[in-house]
Amino acid sequence: MTHTAYISHPDCLLHDPGPTHPERPGRLHAIRNALLDEGLLEGLILLDAPPATDAQLERVHSPAHVARIRASAPAPGQQTMLDADTVMSKGSLTAALHAAGAGVAGVRAVMEGEADHVFCAVRPPGHHAERERAMGFCLFNNIAVAAAHALAHYGLARVAIADFDVHHGNGTEDIFREDPRVLYCSSFQHPFYPGTPLAERDHLIHTPLAAGTDGATFRAAIERDWLPALDRFQPELVLVSAGFDGHRDDHLASLHLAEDDFAWVSRALVDVAARHAGGRLVSMLEGGYDFSSLGRSAAAHVRALCELSRR
């Protein structure tokens, strides 16, 4: 029996930035279909993502930012451009609230023993959203909301966030730059979007990867940079920003990773959680824009969570 939960919500499909935008509703369909095709979905604990509250959002965003996003929701059939890449439709606010709320629900599930591992299949993604700014397809920083909830509501002292999206999670770094209770490990293509300066702090572990990096080089970098830092930190909870846009078939970037690489890093992070965090791990979808490779990669990730649950 698996002890892995899958958290999503139909309202995450309501965010519609347009038919040519990479971050389309079909991303969630691709993941769900892949999990069905591989016989994984039926074995998961299925949970609905609640909407995040303003109090939960305001642990990581200013009240002014939350108010701006609420005020930017357009009329039906209209769009609001928050920046050149970040679009709001009528349903975007509702989708973003459920996306952020999924992380809160995931933390609750692992902290209260309902699940060992959680995968949140939600959109819009979150790791580019800074304390005061939406950007890079992201309105609220979903993984940061989850981490802050774990620290505040459950009184944890050490939370790790591991981010293997192809883009650096500038928003997550912005939010936790001065908070050593959060160890942030991020691998990313470099130089590449968003191009923000990388802060130098002991609790910020940067793993820049050159365009064309393959799976062997990626794995060696994670073993060199992340795993020793995670073991030194001894997290009480492991959170994962799971971006699958580093896949070789995803043409929004130029890394050459494959499904096996995402499965490998997933197993490595589950092992960290088993050693230090009572097995508790919550993963949240970030990037991944080629539907076929996204589905296959997310399925490989979820399979690793299931196989290593309650060993």
Side-chain angles (χ1 to χ4, degrees):
M1 177 183 177
T2 184
H3 292 271
T4 298
Y6 176 87
I7 300 180
S8 191
H9 196 281
D11 285 356
C12 288
L13 298 170
L14 299 179
H15 173 53
D16 183 12
T20 62
H21 197 282
E23 209 288 286
R24 301 192 299 278
R27 299 178 67 227
L28 295 189
H29 294 306
I31 291 172
R32 189 176 182 88
N33 289 341
L35 294 177
L36 282 168
D37 289 346
E38 297 197 21
L40 291 169
L41 191 66
E42 63 189 14
L44 299 174
I45 302 164
L46 303 181
L47 301 173
D48 277 342
T53 66
D54 282 5
Q56 291 163 351
L57 297 172
E58 289 171 7
R59 291 185 179 126
V60 301
H61 296 292
S62 70
H65 174 78
V66 176
R68 278 194 301 271
I69 297 301
R70 287 191 175 279
S72 297
Q78 303 297 312
Q79 289 186 332
T80 300
M81 299 295 298
L82 302 179
D83 67 14
D85 302 309
T86 311
V87 186
M88 287 187 72
S89 66
K90 174 63 177 175
S92 298
L93 175 61
T94 298
L97 290 172
H98 283 284
V104 173
V107 169
R108 181 201 59 76
V110 299
M111 293 304 300
E112 299 183 12
E114 186 173 358
D116 290 341
H117 308 143
V118 173
F119 176 63
C120 300
V122 292
R123 55 181 295 278
H127 74 153
H128 292 308
E130 298 180 346
R131 185 175 297 276
E132 298 284 353
R133 179 169 63 150
M135 63 177 287
F137 309 168
C138 305
L139 306 184
F140 301 124
N141 195 308
N142 307 324
I143 203 79
V145 170
H149 183 69
L151 293 167
H153 188 77
Y154 291 99
L156 299 189
R158 296 181 310 281
V159 173
I161 300 175
D163 184 340
F164 54 77
D165 189 274
V166 80
H167 304 99
H168 176 243
N170 60 290
T172 308
E173 181 170 302
D174 174 68
I175 290 165
F176 294 117
R177 182 180 295 117
E178 306 303 333
D179 191 344
R181 297 176 300 169
V182 177
L183 178 72
Y184 181 53
C185 301
S186 178
S187 63
F188 48 93
Q189 184 176 324
H190 182 76
F192 201 43
Y193 181 89
T196 47
L198 304 178
E200 295 185 7
R201 303 286 191 280
D202 289 344
H203 65 287
L204 303 177
I205 309 299
H206 301 128
T207 302
L209 303 169
T213 291
D214 62 10
T217 305
F218 167 76
R219 296 185 194 200
I222 297 302
E223 289 180 327
R224 180 193 68 222
D225 296 347
W226 288 19
L227 300 186
L230 287 162
D231 280 335
R232 288 193 300 270
F233 187 68
Q234 298 182 8
E236 298 166 294
L237 172 67
V238 175
L239 303 178
V240 182
S241 275
F244 302 105
D245 38 3
H247 195 283
R248 61 193 174 204
D249 293 341
D250 195 310
H251 300 300
L252 218 64
S254 303
L255 297 189
H256 290 172
L257 306 183
E259 298 94 307
D260 287 349
D261 300 308
F262 296 118
W264 176 87
V265 72
S266 303
R267 290 192 295 269
L269 294 171
V270 168
D271 284 342
V272 169
R275 287 196 297 275
H276 303 296
R280 296 184 292 264
L281 181 148
V282 178
S283 172
M284 303 196 72
L285 178 66
E286 299 285 0
Y289 305 102
D290 173 78
F291 288 176
S292 178
S293 63
L294 169 61
R296 299 193 311 271
S297 299
H301 176 64
V302 171
R303 185 179 295 281
L305 302 187
C306 292
E307 289 175 347
L308 297 172
S309 182
R310 295 277 173 95
R311 290 179 296 180

